Amino acid sequence: MLFRFRAAQAADAGILDIGRTRRPRAITTITSIPLCEKWRGQVLKEISRKVSKIQEASLSDFQIRDLNDEINKLMREKHMWE
């Protein structure tokens, strides 16, 4: 109960934890440069995780294709953040 109260207080004060909020799909609506850099960094982390995962020898061709599609999608999103 106290947790929800503190979360509501933080939201009213404008203090939001970026790690707990979802990345916005409408990239052009974000006007703050530090916020954009934070989301771009999150996209880069996801790209690096998936690139390291795609190099595993135990993956099938279909899994590699799926990961490649996800990486390409994230690369397009990274470009939009820049």
Side-chain angles (χ1 to χ4, degrees), residues 2-16:
L2 182 63
F3 176 74
R4 280 189 242 146
F5 175 72
R6 290 291 184 193
Q9 258 186 340
D12 290 341
I15 306 168
L16 292 176

Side-chain angles (χ1 to χ4, degrees), residues 21-35:
T21 57
R22 295 181 64 154
R23 192 167 58 235
R25 290 289 174 207
I27 295 170
T28 56
T29 61
I30 306 299
T31 57
S32 171
I33 291 177
L35 193 58

Side-chain angles (χ1 to χ4, degrees), residues 4-68:
R4 280 189 242 146
F5 175 72
R6 290 291 184 193
Q9 258 186 340
D12 290 341
I15 306 168
L16 292 176
D17 185 13
I18 296 293
R20 294 181 183 213
T21 57
R22 295 181 64 154
R23 192 167 58 235
R25 290 289 174 207
I27 295 170
T28 56
T29 61
I30 306 299
T31 57
S32 171
I33 291 177
L35 193 58
C36 288
E37 289 176 354
K38 182 77 171 182
W39 292 122
R40 181 182 171 273
Q42 186 184 31
V43 171
L44 286 173
K45 286 178 188 176
E46 284 185 42
I47 290 172
S48 66
R49 279 190 215 118
K50 292 188 187 239
V51 166
S52 64
K53 188 176 180 183
I54 205 170
Q55 294 174 355
E56 291 180 16
S58 64
L59 294 176
S60 70
D61 289 341
F62 297 112
Q63 290 172 327
I64 291 173
R65 286 186 186 129
D66 288 341
L67 276 172
N68 189 37

